Amino acid sequence: MNSLAWKSCPHCQTVFVAYRKDAARYCSRQCNGYYRGQDWAKHAHKGRANWTAASRESCALRMTGPNNPAWKGGVTYFSRKGRYVTQRIAYVRCPEAFKVMARKDGYVMLHRLRVAEAIGRPLTRTECVHHINHDATDNRLENLMLFATNAEHKRYEHGQAIQPLWQPSPPSDIAG
């Protein structure tokens, strides 16, 4: 059974309730941070925007991007369900030139980015990229086609004579 204990914070002298006798020594994370001398805790109540330049720099170098042990080079994978469960979609950090195609977190599907770079412009939301061999993990340009809408893509899949907006040119057999 939990016993309540009234305690006084050694930093700010605020009286607070600790739900266990051996629990919390301080009333908040800020007070704990002042005691430990940690810069992040002194500014935690203000948010990241009001950190000092030194705290921003030390935090930025600590565990972000390539310094994080979970960093995978800016590539993340989206697992699918159903028939295509083994084909995970690759998302990569979107270059500035194609930022309009990215999700809110700045990532874009790799196959859409490859086609956008090949045609030299960002894709619209309605444009659909088709994998010729139906393998979503095969993002070679030779395996990709671009359709104006998903409806055109589906009609093409069902055998109608729909011309894609873009497809790679076949390799020439002439050796030069």
Side-chain angles (χ1 to χ4, degrees), residues 3 6 15 33 45-46 48 73 80 92 94 101 105 112 114 118 120 131 146 152 161:
S3 59
W6 291 93
V15 177
H45 65 285
K46 299 177 189 174
R48 281 190 130 173
R80 300 167 71 185
V92 294
C94 191
M101 294 174 36
D105 63 357
R112 289 183 60 84
R114 290 264 169 95
H131 289 84
L146 178 66
E152 286 187 7

Side-chain angles (χ1 to χ4, degrees), residues 27 57 77 104 117 122 130 169 172:
C27 65
E57 189 174 308
Y77 293 93
K104 286 182 184 178
E117 288 173 339
H130 168 67
S169 57
S172 66

